[in-house]
């Protein structure tokens, strides 16, 4: 297994855990109350710490001749992380994958149709 693949798998696992947490989240009102409580209880990491971690990941991937790219998918509005080969530009791993993005878009479309009928 390539080191870049291990990093991509770890990112994919984190994205899947976040998606599962979002799916299992309570209603909007409960979420808002819970979010206010969590914000007070859990301080967010300082920006410089996030920047430091980002630089370390970027440096590691560049040493492996890989690039890490972040973008927002226009159809679903979800963050997409792509690991590419530095020489060829070939996509090594994408989280979430294209199929997951298409499925999310279809679910969003169906939800919109249900809302219109209600």
């Amino acid at each position: 297994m390539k080191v870049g693949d291990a990093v991509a798998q770890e990112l994919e696992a984190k994205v899947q855990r976040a998606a599962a947490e979002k799916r299992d989240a309570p209603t909007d009102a409960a979420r808002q109350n819970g979010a206010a409580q969590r914000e007070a209880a859990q301080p967010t990491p300082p920006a410089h710490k996030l920047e430091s971690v980002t630089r370390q990941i970027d440096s590691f991937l560049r040493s492996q001749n890989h690039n890490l790219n972040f973008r927002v998918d226009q159809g679903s509005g979800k963050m997409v992380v792509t690991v590419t080969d530095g020489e060829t530009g070939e996509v090594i791993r994408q989280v979430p994958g294209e199929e997951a993005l298409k499925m999310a878009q279809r679910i969003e479309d169906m939800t919109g149709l249900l809302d219109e009928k209600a």
Side-chain angles (χ1 to χ4, degrees), residues 17-65:
R17 281 193 299 271
E21 288 173 5
K22 184 176 181 182
R23 181 183 60 241
D24 298 337
T27 64
D28 285 340
R31 189 176 321 141
Q32 288 174 351
N33 290 336
Q37 291 172 353
R38 281 191 303 277
E39 284 179 18
Q42 297 177 350
T44 58
H48 71 292
K49 193 170 192 176
L50 291 173
E51 289 173 17
S52 173
V53 170
T54 303
R55 279 193 298 266
Q56 289 173 0
I57 292 170
D58 186 53
S59 175
F60 171 76
L61 287 172
R62 287 185 191 277
S63 73
Q64 301 296 314
N65 201 21

Side-chain angles (χ1 to χ4, degrees), residues 59-74:
S59 175
F60 171 76
L61 287 172
R62 287 185 191 277
S63 73
Q64 301 296 314
N65 201 21
H66 290 76
N67 296 319
L68 187 63
N69 304 299
F70 296 88
R71 67 177 174 88
V72 176
D73 179 63
Q74 291 181 350

